[in-house]
Amino acid sequence: MVEKPPFLGFGLGLRPQHYTEILEATSELPIDWFEIISENYMVEGGRPLKMLDQIMERYPLVMHGVSMSIASTAPLNMDYLTRLKTLADRVNPKWISDHLCWTGVHGVNLHDLLPIPYTEEALNHVASRIEQVQDFLGRRIAIENVSSYIEFEESEMDEWTFVAEIAKRADCWLLLDVNNVFVSGQNHQFDDGNFIDQIPVERVVQFHLAGHSEGDDVLIDTHDQPVCDEVFDLYEKALRRFGPVSTMIERDDNIPPLAELLDELNRARHIASGVLSHEQLETAA
Amino acid sequence: MAKKLAELQSQMQSDILKRTDGTLPRISVPENTTAEKRFGVYQFAYLSRLIEILSGDYENTWKFVGDEQFYQLAAQYVEAYPSNHPNVRWFGRYFPKFLSDHESAGAHPVLAEIAAIEKAIEDAFDASNDDVATMDDLAAIPPELVTGLTFKLHSSCCLLKQQTNALAIYMALVEDETPEQPENLDEPLYTLAWRNNMMCQYRPLNAEEGMLIDLVQQGQSFATLCEMAATMQDADTAAARVAGHITGWLQSEIISELVIAK
Ligand SMILES: [Fe+2]
C-alpha cells in the first residue's frame, strides 16, 4: 500500500464569510490548512475563484464534495467529475473527498447525503464506482462516513464493517467524521467507540469535527452548532487509535466569527497534544 | 448492476419527493422511535433545505411577499422544478420563469421581475472571467474601421426589459425601506446587471442606451447603432451620443471585446 498523504495539522472548512478576515489578517492565523467545498468553486469565474487563488497561495488545501453520489445506482455524472478534475488541476489539493452516500437517481438531485443498506451487493457496487472515479481522477479519493437517521432491514453487516471493507476493496482513503460516528451511534444505538476501533488505521487521512442538533428522539447532522464534549471525547479516542490525522472543524450553517472556530480548533490541538508526542505533531510543519 | 439497491433508491426518492411511505417496511429503527418519524427527517430536510436555498438566492423577493407567501411559492417551485443539477447553486435558476408562469394564478407580474433582477445579479457574481476591452483598445482601431466595429458584451452582462416598477421596489428592499406599491410602467424599463472589478453592479438605462445594448447583443455595428440612435433623439448628435455610451461601457467593464469586421 502506498504511503498516506501528509499530516497537515489543524484546519478549517473555508467559508466565504471569513475570506476577508483570512486574507487581511495582520498576524499569522493558527490555521494549518483549509478544506474547500468543491461545488462552491465549480463556477465560471468571479469572486469565488479569485478568493480561492489567493488562499491557495498561502495555505495547503483539500477538496471536499457533496455531489459525487458515489453510492447511487444512477450512472456516474461525468460532467460533474470533469469539472471536479478541472478544479483539482487548479487547486492541486492534498486529497479529494466525498461521502459514502447517494444524492439521487433518475436525473434528480435531492441535495442530501442519503444512506444505503450495508449489503454485499452495495459493497460491490460502491467499491467499483470508487475505482472508476479514482481511475478518472488519476488519484485515490477519501470517502467519508455520513450521519444517518434510519437503517435498513436488508443490511447484512454493520456500518463499520462496510466502511472498512469499502476502503479495502476500492483501495481508497477514509475521512472519518467523528461527529457522524457519534450521531449515528446515538441514532442507531451502537457503541461509537467500537466503530472507531473497527476502522483500519492505515486508511484514515482526515477527521471532521462538527456540531449537530437534537430533534425528537434523533440527532441531526446540521453543522450549525459548536462541537460537543462527547464528540471531543470520541476524537481523543480516535487520536489514540489513528495517531496524527489532519483534523478540522466543519461548520456549514450559523457561521460564527473566525475566532470562535479557532477556539474550537485550539481545543482539538490541545487534546492532540495530550495524546500525541511532539514528533508526531511536528510532521504538520 | 445492483438491482436491489436501484429499486430501493427509486422507492426512497419517490417517497421523499411525494411524501409517501413505501420505504417504511424496509427501515429498522430503535424502539424509542418509529420508522415514520425517522424517514420523515429526510422528507422534511429535502423541502426545507431547498426552500432555504431559494430564500437565500431570492432574498428580496422573499422580503417583498413575506414568509407565508414565499414559503408557498417556494414549495410549489420545489415540486415543479426538482433539482437536476449536482450544484445547488443552480437550483433556483428557473424561479423567475416559474413566478411569471404563475401570474395567471394571481401573482402580480412584479414578483417575477424582482426575482429576475436578483437572478441577473447573482449570475453576474460568478460569470466567466472574460477579457475586458479598454479605451486603449478602442484608440488603437484605425478610424476607417470604426463604422463596421461590433462589440462583445462581458459574460456577466444581463439586460432586462421590464414592464413594472420592480427595480424601484428592489432598490427600496435592498435599503430596508418601504417599497412603493407595484404597478405597471407606461414604457418598459431597461436594467443592466454586470460585474465590474469583481463587484456586481446594476443600473437602469434610459430608452436609448437600453436599445443600444440590445443592438450590441444582436451583433449590430457601430454604424447601425448610430442610425438607430438618430431615430430616437437629435440625429445630428447621434454618433457623439453612441460614442459617449461606448466610452462609459468600456470604463465600467461592460465590453469584453471590440471586433473588427473582416
Ligand atoms: Fe463531515
Side-chain angles (χ1 to χ4, degrees):
Chain A
M1 197 171 139
V2 292
E3 216 181 305
K4 262 197 211 185
F7 169 54
L8 301 177
F10 300 84
L12 287 181
L14 179 64
R15 304 293 176 256
Q17 290 87 337
H18 300 138
Y19 285 157
T20 318
E21 239 179 307
I22 294 163
L23 290 170
E24 289 173 9
T26 46
S27 58
E28 202 183 325
L29 295 169
I31 306 169
D32 301 325
W33 56 281
F34 283 102
E35 178 191 83
I36 63 164
I37 305 288
S38 309
E39 287 78 4
N40 290 356
Y41 302 93
M42 289 160 86
V43 294
E44 298 301 320
R47 189 163 183 262
L49 289 172
K50 188 181 176 186
M51 294 294 109
L52 180 64
D53 286 345
Q54 291 179 14
I55 285 170
M56 63 189 240
E57 272 176 29
R58 306 186 199 179
Y59 294 93
L61 295 183
V62 306
M63 280 168 50
H64 183 54
V66 294
S67 302
M68 193 180 283
S69 200
I70 199 73
S72 173
T73 48
L76 283 169
N77 185 335
M78 294 315 292
D79 177 58
Y80 173 81
L81 290 173
T82 305
R83 284 169 176 273
L84 187 70
K85 194 174 182 181
T86 305
L87 182 66
D89 287 343
R90 180 186 194 116
V91 169
N92 193 19
K94 298 295 177 187
W95 57 84
I96 298 173
S97 64
D98 205 302
H99 304 82
L100 181 52
C101 73
W102 61 288
T103 62
V105 286
H106 313 308
V108 172
N109 197 313
L110 299 168
H111 300 290
D112 201 351
L113 308 174
L114 300 165
I116 50 168
Y118 307 122
T119 62
E120 189 63 32
E121 183 200 48
L123 201 49
N124 284 327
H125 176 69
V126 178
S128 94
R129 300 248 298 183
I130 296 173
E131 283 173 347
Q132 288 172 55
V133 169
Q134 294 185 142
D135 283 348
F136 179 79
L137 295 175
R139 53 159 83 224
R140 270 192 188 70
I141 57 171
I143 293 293
E144 174 181 356
N145 61 300
V146 296
S147 284
S148 61
Y149 316 119
I150 56 173
E151 291 183 303
F152 296 97
E153 293 283 355
E154 60 216 75
S155 281
E156 296 154 6
M157 63 194 93
D158 300 308
E159 185 184 351
W160 48 90
T161 311
F162 190 89
V163 171
E165 195 59 26
I166 279 285
K168 198 171 104 191
R169 289 203 199 176
D171 190 14
C172 65
W173 305 122
L174 293 175
L175 191 177
L176 190 70
D177 186 314
V178 179
N179 176 62
N180 289 346
V181 175
F182 176 75
V183 165
S184 291
Q186 294 288 308
N187 287 342
H188 311 312
Q189 298 179 351
F190 65 67
D191 175 358
D192 48 25
N194 178 56
F195 187 119
I196 300 274
D197 286 337
Q198 302 303 320
I199 298 299
V201 172
E202 69 281 8
R203 295 287 175 182
V204 177
V205 296
Q206 184 183 347
F207 289 147
H208 271 170
L209 298 175
H212 55 260
S213 50
E214 262 178 65
D216 189 14
D217 310 323
V218 66
L219 295 186
I220 301 178
D221 180 36
T222 44
H223 296 186
D224 60 353
Q225 300 294 322
V227 180
C228 71
D229 292 345
E230 291 95 325
V231 169
F232 274 118
D233 290 346
L234 197 58
Y235 171 59
E236 182 172 349
K237 182 177 165 65
L239 282 172
R240 287 188 200 287
R241 173 167 172 79
F242 297 100
V245 169
S246 308
T247 298
M248 60 161 270
I249 310 289
E250 188 184 35
R251 186 71 169 256
D252 292 309
D253 218 337
N254 190 18
I255 309 266
L258 194 61
E260 266 179 53
L261 296 179
L262 291 180
D263 284 347
E264 288 191 272
L265 194 59
N266 269 337
R267 186 165 169 194
R269 255 184 235 273
H270 182 76
I271 293 171
S273 67
V275 174
L276 305 173
S277 72
H278 227 64
E279 283 118 42
Q280 280 179 307
L281 281 168
E282 218 150 83
T283 52
Chain B
M1 182 57 189
K3 245 179 96 183
K4 275 185 77 176
L5 182 61
E7 183 248 315
L8 173 71
Q9 290 179 342
S10 287
Q11 177 73 58
M12 205 167 144
Q13 174 165 303
S14 159
D15 287 339
I16 289 173
L17 292 173
K18 298 184 194 135
R19 297 199 153 232
T20 46
D21 59 6
T23 316
L24 296 190
R26 300 171 73 163
I27 291 173
S28 72
V29 295
E31 276 173 7
N32 66 348
T33 187
T34 63
E36 209 171 347
K37 259 183 167 174
R38 286 292 182 84
F39 190 66
V41 175
Y42 291 105
Q43 291 171 313
F44 175 78
Y46 170 69
L47 187 63
S48 63
R49 176 177 303 108
L50 292 180
I51 291 179
E52 197 187 324
I53 296 288
L54 271 190
S55 61
D57 291 351
Y58 297 97
E59 212 183 327
N60 294 290
T61 311
W62 170 28
K63 245 195 239 174
F64 183 65
V65 297
D67 293 350
E68 202 174 318
Q69 202 191 344
F70 188 84
Y71 183 91
Q72 270 181 25
L73 288 166
Q76 287 172 40
Y77 176 76
V78 171
E79 206 170 320
Y81 292 87
S83 175
N84 56 9
H85 200 288
N87 201 336
V88 82
R89 156 75 180 82
W90 280 278
F91 166 64
R93 65 196 183 283
Y94 305 118
F95 195 51
K97 179 186 180 320
F98 165 82
L99 291 174
S100 114
D101 293 347
H102 216 76
E103 279 165 29
S104 51
H108 194 281
V110 78
L111 264 191
E113 293 195 341
I114 296 171
I117 296 169
E118 297 201 86
K119 178 176 186 295
I121 294 170
E122 174 129 337
D123 287 349
F125 176 71
D126 54 15
S128 176
N129 293 333
D130 293 356
D131 288 339
V132 174
T134 64
M135 289 298 288
D136 288 348
D137 296 333
L138 183 62
I141 309 256
E144 67 275 17
L145 295 179
V146 167
T147 49
L149 201 61
T150 58
F151 310 86
K152 235 180 108 190
L153 288 185
H154 193 275
S155 309
S156 66
C157 289
C158 176
L159 180 67
L160 300 168
K161 189 179 184 181
Q162 302 196 313
Q163 313 296 330
T164 71
N165 58 342
L167 183 68
I169 293 176
Y170 171 79
M171 288 165 76
L173 292 166
V174 169
E175 297 298 325
D176 269 323
E177 289 163 7
T178 311
E180 44 191 79
Q181 287 301 310
E183 57 183 38
N184 292 320
L185 302 173
D186 298 334
E187 295 288 329
L189 175 68
Y190 284 104
T191 298
L192 184 71
W194 80 104
R195 189 173 73 220
N196 182 357
N197 191 22
M198 290 294 157
M199 303 283 282
C200 296
Q201 312 279 335
Y202 64 91
R203 66 178 169 89
L205 310 179
N206 65 31
E208 182 173 84
E209 191 179 9
M211 174 196 71
L212 291 174
I213 294 263
D214 200 1
L215 291 168
V216 163
Q217 268 182 331
Q218 295 167 29
Q220 300 293 346
S221 67
F222 180 78
T224 309
L225 264 54
C226 293
E227 271 170 42
M228 295 301 291
T231 67
M232 294 284 285
Q233 292 176 53
D234 177 22
D236 292 342
T237 58
R241 292 198 308 274
V242 172
H245 285 306
I246 291 171
T247 304
W249 300 339
L250 288 169
Q251 284 167 345
S252 45
E253 304 189 353
I254 286 170
I255 305 287
S256 71
E257 199 185 340
L258 304 170
V259 186
I260 297 171
K262 293 257 163 62

